[in-house]
């Protein structure tokens, strides 16, 4: 699709390819393999013709037209020239790490990334001789001091979940470039509608399509994006060989979700900001974490990097676990579930769920207190969300 279209146009149009039937909506290709005209064509496609930039389909572990439409649409939204779809967000992080790292390498990772990402580096990659140093997402000096001659990868999420800490992507990209490491940014919480890390110098972008790209809590999916070149070829090579592939059905569901991505992200952000402003004034709330609030310590940086503050709002209630659980258990509308990025608002107690597996000391150091509650704001009316939270907050 020609360059120059706005993001809302790309969301509904980019990447669409049509079969000989000229279907209007994207077709779902449920097939594990594809036919060849003859033996010569089969040989050609098997030996490299079907690469990331190759033409022709072979086998759905690594090439499928519906998955290709998803990849092309997301690439257009992120401003990337290459995209590899994966089975989930975690398999996108796995594929990237397997592509870029080898035994003896070192990773510097924000200490405020998704819990399974921490587990992946600490419990799995450590067994294969890759060491990881965790640093504050906001202190560039810590990243700089953690660098070693064998550092190959810098990994972050911005804003972080659940505390909304914002990393300076451009500054960390400059640091990565100087040290010969790749900067990888997990952009699941913002999506390209709110933030495009490649424009700030990131080398690769990760997505959990399970979250806002689908947007309706239906399927798992993921993606890795970047410029065409050796890094993306290596990610594709890992996927082709190891097979954590996105199913065509899931790709099709997510394609449908991406059509409404921009309007959902903007509407959910708008509701989140209004809810954050209301919580900030509530007498039983001691602190609100939302990058869109003027009171957020990195509000200016957030507004330089992001179009809005996003749809996640966290807050601390007076008291501790009992009071936080009371607020959660008093809701009737909001869903008590760990997922986020859904049109249905969800509520969680991070200290005993998403961050329940880490030690109390590490949890306290990370700022995950017993009184902390995370709300992933959906599309319900803000008045109804306020009323639902009011019961327990009173
Ligand atoms: C959910 C999530 C992931 C993992 O994605 P899955 O699709 O569940 O594997 C990774 N990063 C972030 C920021 C997430 O929110």
């Amino acid at each position: 699709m020609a360059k120059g279209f706005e993001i809302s146009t790309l969301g509904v149009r980019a990447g669409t390819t049509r079969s000989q039937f000229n279907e209007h909506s994207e077709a779902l290709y449920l097939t594990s393999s594809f036919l060849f005209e003859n033996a010569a064509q089969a040989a050609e496609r098997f030996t490299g013709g079907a690469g990331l930039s190759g033409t022709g389909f072979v086998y759905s572990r690594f090439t499928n037209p519906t998955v290709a439409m998803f990849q092309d649409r997301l690439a257009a939204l992120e401003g990337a020239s290459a995209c590899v779809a994966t089975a989930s967000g975690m398999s996108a992080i796995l594929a990237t790490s397997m592509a870029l790292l080898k035994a003896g390498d070192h990773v510097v990772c924000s200490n405020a990334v998704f819990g399974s990402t921490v587990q992946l580096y600490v419990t799995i990659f450590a067994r294969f001789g890759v060491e990881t140093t965790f640093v504050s997402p906001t202190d560039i000096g810590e990243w700089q001091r953690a660098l070693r001659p064998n550092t190959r990868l810098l990994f972050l999420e911005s804003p972080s979940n659940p505390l909304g800490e914002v990393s300076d992507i451009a500054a960390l990209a400059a640091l990565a470039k100087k040290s010969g490491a790749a900067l990888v940014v997990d952009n699941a919480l913002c999506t390209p509608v709110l933030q495009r890390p490649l424009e700030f110098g990131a080398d690769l972008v990760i997505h959990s399509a399970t979250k806002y790209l689908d947007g309706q809590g239906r399927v798992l999916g993921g993606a890795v994006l970047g410029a065409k070149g050796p890094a993306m070829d290596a990610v594709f090579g890992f996927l082709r060989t190891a097979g954590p592939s996105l199913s065509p059905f899931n790709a099709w569901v997510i394609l449908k979700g991406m059509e409404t991505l921009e309007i959902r992200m903007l509407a959910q952000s708008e509701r989140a900001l209004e809810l954050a402003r209301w919580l900030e004034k509530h007498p039983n709330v001691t602190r609100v974490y939302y990058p869109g609030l003027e009171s957020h310590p990195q509000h200016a940086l957030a507004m330089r990097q992001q179009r809005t503050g996003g749809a996640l709002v966290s807050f601390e209630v007076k008291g501790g676990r009992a009071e936080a659980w009371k607020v959660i258990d008093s809701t009737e509308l909001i869903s008590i579930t760990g997922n986020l990025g859904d049109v249905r608002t969800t509520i969680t107690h991070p200290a005993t769920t998403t961050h329940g597996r880490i030690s109390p000391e590490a949890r306290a150091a990370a700022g995950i207190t017993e009184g902390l509650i995370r709300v992933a704001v959906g599309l319900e009316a803000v008045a109804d969300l306020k009323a639902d939270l009011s019961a327990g907050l009173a």
Side-chain angles (χ1 to χ4, degrees), residues 87-93 113-117 155 157 159 161 186-189 206-211 219-222 339-340 374:
S88 66
M90 283 321 300
S91 53
I93 299 172
V113 294
F114 191 65
S116 298
T117 307
F155 191 100
E157 251 174 76
N161 170 19
D186 183 333
N187 200 30
L189 295 192
I206 300 281
H207 276 288
S208 167
T210 316
K211 310 295 167 52
V219 298
L220 292 175
N339 196 31
L340 61 90
R374 184 196 78 190

Side-chain angles (χ1 to χ4, degrees), residues 43-69:
E44 197 272 320
R45 289 201 182 155
F46 260 85
T47 53
L52 229 194
S53 48
T55 53
F57 297 96
V58 178
Y59 188 60
S60 287
R61 187 183 333 114
F62 52 99
T63 49
N64 176 281
T66 312
V67 175
M69 285 192 260

Side-chain angles (χ1 to χ4, degrees), residues 109-129:
C109 184
S110 158
N111 63 23
V113 294
F114 191 65
S116 298
T117 307
V118 175
Q119 291 300 319
L120 181 70
Y121 287 128
V122 170
T123 65
I124 299 177
F125 274 95
R127 284 200 276 121
F128 297 92

Side-chain angles (χ1 to χ4, degrees), residues 141-155:
E142 270 192 42
W143 291 79
Q144 195 148 19
R145 287 189 295 278
L147 290 174
R148 301 177 191 170
N150 59 338
T151 304
R152 290 284 164 269
L153 198 153
L154 272 53
F155 191 100

